[in-house]
């Protein structure tokens, strides 16, 4: 599929349920992405093949924006444009799936970062607690004996 065909199908599918400025933002993102990949040496067919079906991408955009089945509602949870450098520069898209933009939104989401940070902190605390609880039966008697010996030395 050519770049032009891909973008036309994407535009037509999105235009049925999103405002024109939001549709333009999504189309501009994919236009720039495909152009950048072509500059790296890929053919149009290769890039559009890796992206997958533009109808599936459009459906995913509509579902993640909350616009599916709601008609043209301005600002209904969808971005009006993409950050042009927000896609993966490493070329690690999911071949044929069309879901790489959802992964990028999650990657750039501060809530996801906060949740991951909390999970890491909880994991470290759990690890420390498990180590301490495993060593406690060994260390506690040793500390008790040392305190007792120290007390007995002072009395003598």
């Amino acid at each position: 599929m050519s770049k032009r065909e891909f973008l036309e199908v994407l535009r037509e599918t999105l235009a049925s349920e999103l405002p024109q400025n939001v549709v333009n933002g999504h189309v501009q993102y994919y236009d720039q992405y495909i152009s950048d990949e072509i500059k790296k040496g890929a053919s149009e067919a290769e890039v559009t093949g890796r992206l997958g079906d533009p109808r599936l991408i459009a459906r995913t955009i509509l579902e993640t924006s909350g616009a599916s089945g709601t008609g043209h509602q301005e600002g209904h949870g969808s971005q009006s444009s993409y950050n042009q450098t927000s896609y993966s520069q490493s070329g690690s898209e999911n071949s044929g799936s069309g879901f790489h933009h959802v992964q990028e939104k999650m990657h750039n989401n501060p809530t996801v970062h906060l949740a991951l940070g909390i999970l890491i902190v909880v994991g470290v605390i759990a690890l420390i607690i498990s180590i301490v609880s495993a060593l406690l039966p060994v260390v506690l008697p040793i500390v008790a004996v040392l305190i007792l010996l120290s007390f007995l030395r002072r009395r003598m």
Side-chain angles (χ1 to χ4, degrees):
M1 176 180 289
S2 74
K3 174 182 173 180
R4 185 184 55 75
E5 292 169 329
F6 180 92
L7 296 174
E8 282 178 12
V9 171
L10 181 65
R11 181 180 300 279
E12 289 171 10
T13 308
L14 290 174
S16 66
E17 298 187 43
L18 290 177
Q20 191 61 42
N21 64 331
V22 175
V23 172
N24 289 342
H26 290 292
V27 171
Q28 287 172 358
Y29 169 80
Y30 283 98
D31 182 30
Q32 183 65 47
Y33 175 79
I34 294 168
S35 295
D36 289 348
E37 291 300 304
I38 291 170
K39 287 177 188 173
K40 293 177 186 176
S43 71
E44 282 185 9
E46 288 173 329
V47 178
T48 58
R50 284 190 306 228
L51 288 172
D53 186 350
R55 289 173 210 82
L56 178 59
I57 293 172
R59 278 292 123 209
T60 305
I61 291 170
L62 293 171
E63 288 172 7
T64 59
S65 71
S68 185
T70 61
H72 290 282
Q73 293 182 1
E74 285 291 332
H76 192 267
S78 180
Q79 286 180 273
S80 62
S81 65
Y82 282 103
N83 176 349
Q84 294 298 327
T85 58
S86 66
Y87 57 82
S88 173
Q89 294 291 332
S90 65
S92 62
E93 307 86 17
N94 287 342
S95 293
S97 72
F99 287 106
H100 79 278
H101 65 280
V102 174
Q103 291 172 337
E104 291 302 325
K105 284 183 180 179
M106 286 180 60
H107 176 72
N108 295 328
N109 188 342
T111 306
V112 172
H113 290 192
L114 177 64
L116 287 175
I118 290 171
L119 283 173
I120 290 170
V121 168
V122 168
V124 169
I125 290 171
L127 180 64
I128 291 170
I129 289 172
S130 66
I131 291 171
V132 168
S133 66
L135 293 178
L136 198 58
V138 175
V139 173
L140 195 57
I142 294 172
V143 171
V145 168
L146 290 175
I147 291 173
L148 183 61
L149 287 176
S150 174
F151 178 72
L152 291 174
R153 275 192 191 153
R154 287 189 191 153
R155 286 202 155 246
M156 294 181 153

